[in-house]
Amino acid sequence: MEQSNGCEEIKVFIATPEHAEEISRLNELFNDVRISSIEMARRLGEVHAPEIAIIAWCKRGAVAFAGLRIVTSLFYDSPHAEITELFVQEDFRQRGIGRLLIGKSIEVRPASATMTNRWGAFRVAWPPGRSGCWIIVVGTLLQTGCR
């Protein structure tokens, strides 16, 4: 699908150390935190990393990312998958890229990890303490908004 910003195709996949420079760039845009490409590559290469980065890519490079953390719980038998970060560059918003990142997060989580609470929904707020935007997923229904 042709995008007005020059990207013809968006690919969404798990980031590897070779994507460190782009993830660092997006992280600085989103979180206002600069992590060196070398440090980001080290973190992305950790075998038992507590969090993985999922990246949306087009011929221009990375345009969005999500952080997916798999955590165990003291109170439940199976782990819980949690989207900790979700960022889409402004000129790529309203094109379904956030939905693609959430879909890939659900796809790559361990089969035993749930992304739902007992009400069958999960909620992600982003960016924390900033614009007051949110995502709610119930089954296959995705709802987003901002205050």
Side-chain angles (χ1 to χ4, degrees):
M1 132 176 80
E2 179 67 32
Q3 304 283 335
S4 62
N5 48 27
C7 283
E8 296 173 7
E9 181 182 359
I10 302 289
K11 296 179 181 178
V12 178
F13 52 89
I14 296 174
T16 64
E18 71 185 42
H19 305 110
E21 187 172 332
E22 289 288 293
I23 292 287
S24 292
R25 178 183 62 79
L26 290 177
N27 186 59
E28 187 170 12
L29 286 173
F30 180 54
N31 290 316
D32 202 25
V33 174
R34 178 69 183 149
I35 297 172
S36 73
S37 297
I38 293 169
E39 174 60 17
M40 185 61 74
R42 185 193 68 72
R43 292 178 187 186
L44 288 169
E46 286 182 16
V47 175
H48 298 291
E51 195 167 22
I52 61 171
I54 298 170
I55 192 168
W57 193 276
C58 75
K59 66 183 177 184
R60 283 180 34 178
V63 298
F65 74 93
L68 178 65
R69 180 174 297 178
I70 310 299
V71 295
T72 57
S73 173
L74 179 64
F75 304 105
Y76 298 98
D77 291 333
S78 61
H80 177 77
E82 174 181 62
I83 295 174
T84 58
E85 305 281 338
L86 180 62
F87 174 68
V88 179
Q89 280 184 237
E90 193 168 341
D91 57 333
F92 287 88
R93 294 179 184 163
Q94 301 298 311
R95 291 178 169 81
I97 295 172
R99 184 184 306 263
L100 292 172
L101 288 167
I102 291 170
K104 182 58 87 172
S105 297
I106 292 169
E107 176 187 320
V108 302
R109 79 187 194 289
S112 63
T114 181
M115 291 187 82
T116 61
N117 61 31
R118 65 188 181 133
W119 299 281
F122 71 91
R123 179 181 175 119
V124 180
W126 87 94
R130 287 195 188 157
S131 67
C133 296
W134 47 270
I135 297 170
I136 298 177
V137 178
V138 180
T140 59
L141 174 66
L142 172 69
Q143 180 184 12
T144 62
C146 293
R147 282 185 239 165

